[in-house]
Amino acid sequence: MDTQNKKVVFSGVQPTGKITLGNYLGAIKNWAPLQDEYNCLYCVVDLHSITVQQVPAELRKNTMDLVALYIACGVDPNKSILFIQSHVPQHAELAWTLDTISYIGELNRMTQFKEKSRKHADNLNMGLMNYPVLMASDILLFQTDLVPVGKDQIQHLELARDLAERFNNRYSPTFVVPEGLVFKSGSSIKSLQDPLAKMSKSDPNENAIITLFDTPDEIRRKFKR
């Protein structure tokens, strides 16, 4: 991979649930065209997945299936770095360091934390609150210049920027302050059942989502419903 004079792009998807049309149009579809212009790192963010209870064997299978899906969708390992988050321990190590400069108030204000807290009231763990700090670690670890983001992730990117600046000011100039890369289309694909909600692979209602493995008949049936 040619690393000279190219900006760094980082992005990742969780290996939980079924990958939806929203995941594809909002993220994965855009990755392949970036590979010739940027130094791209594409990650399966499996550590983020364990904020909710997982069956280990299923998580391992879903992780490898997602790696295969990345490649099928055009991510070329000869052009980009493709890896699994938990295989690089520095993600968790840096997250701990960033935790020490993260404030409870700013994490409590995160929209996704509020939403996930309501959905997982029976498993309200610290991972749900620290999710954005780990995401910031993912980004800052590789001196990322640009992060492809949908509208629902802009708040998390802002935290990553704040933490980078806070660390740089408190200790020494260390981290690149990343910018968002928002695509013109696909940044907010809506649920088929609720036009105000994002299409989410964690949605328990399968009629609300279109997955990449749905047959044409299944897609037509979901639209009719």
Side-chain angles (χ1 to χ4, degrees), residues 177-223:
V177 180
E179 300 285 343
L181 187 60
V182 180
F183 299 103
K184 292 182 179 179
S185 62
S187 63
S188 184
I189 305 299
K190 300 302 184 182
S191 163
L192 297 183
Q193 298 295 312
D194 181 359
L196 298 179
K198 186 186 76 167
M199 185 179 290
S200 171
K201 54 190 172 67
S202 62
D203 196 319
N205 184 355
E206 292 198 353
N207 290 312
I209 64 174
I210 296 174
T211 80
L212 296 193
F213 299 102
D214 283 344
T215 65
D217 286 341
E218 288 173 328
I219 293 172
R220 281 191 289 267
R221 175 177 54 79
K222 290 179 179 181
F223 271 114

Side-chain angles (χ1 to χ4, degrees), residues 6-216:
K6 288 184 177 182
K7 290 186 175 182
V8 175
V9 168
F10 176 90
S11 194
V13 174
Q14 289 190 51
T16 51
K18 297 178 179 179
I19 302 301
T20 71
L21 182 65
N23 297 128
Y24 176 70
L25 294 178
I28 301 172
K29 174 181 179 290
N30 301 303
W31 291 357
L34 297 175
Q35 296 176 111
D36 294 323
E37 187 175 353
Y38 302 105
N39 291 326
C40 296
L41 297 97
Y42 296 129
C43 181
V44 178
V45 289
D46 55 336
L47 291 177
H48 286 287
S49 301
I50 60 175
T51 57
V52 296
Q53 295 181 7
Q54 301 289 337
V55 177
E58 290 181 2
L59 181 58
R60 285 192 292 270
K61 180 181 184 302
N62 290 341
T63 297
M64 299 312 298
D65 285 349
L66 187 52
V67 171
L69 185 63
Y70 282 1
I71 295 172
C73 290
V75 174
D76 185 348
N78 292 315
K79 294 181 178 180
S80 302
I81 295 175
L82 175 59
F83 68 104
I84 297 169
Q85 182 188 30
S86 63
H87 293 190
V88 182
Q90 288 83 358
H91 284 264
E93 292 171 3
L94 179 56
W96 169 250
T97 301
L98 296 178
D99 268 339
T100 66
I101 60 169
S102 301
Y103 303 126
I104 293 175
E106 64 189 346
L107 298 182
N108 269 331
R109 289 192 295 270
M110 291 289 154
T111 302
Q112 283 203 357
F113 172 65
K114 295 176 182 177
E115 293 175 353
K116 290 185 178 183
S117 297
R118 288 193 295 267
K119 290 180 180 178
H120 304 287
D122 60 336
N123 183 32
L124 193 55
N125 58 76
M126 283 304 300
L128 289 173
M129 179 180 284
N130 279 18
Y131 181 103
V133 181
L134 179 57
M135 182 176 171
S137 171
D138 299 335
I139 295 166
L140 301 182
L141 182 63
F142 300 104
Q143 303 291 24
T144 301
D145 296 290
L146 297 167
V147 183
V149 288
K151 293 179 180 177
D152 61 317
Q153 294 292 340
I154 290 176
Q155 192 180 33
H156 289 174
L157 177 60
E158 286 301 318
L159 177 69
R161 289 173 51 82
D162 289 344
L163 292 178
E165 292 174 347
R166 193 175 298 163
F167 189 97
N168 291 346
N169 292 332
R170 185 173 299 183
Y171 297 110
S172 64
T174 303
F175 297 115
V176 170
V177 180
E179 300 285 343
L181 187 60
V182 180
F183 299 103
K184 292 182 179 179
S185 62
S187 63
S188 184
I189 305 299
K190 300 302 184 182
S191 163
L192 297 183
Q193 298 295 312
D194 181 359
L196 298 179
K198 186 186 76 167
M199 185 179 290
S200 171
K201 54 190 172 67
S202 62
D203 196 319
N205 184 355
E206 292 198 353
N207 290 312
I209 64 174
I210 296 174
T211 80
L212 296 193
F213 299 102
D214 283 344
T215 65

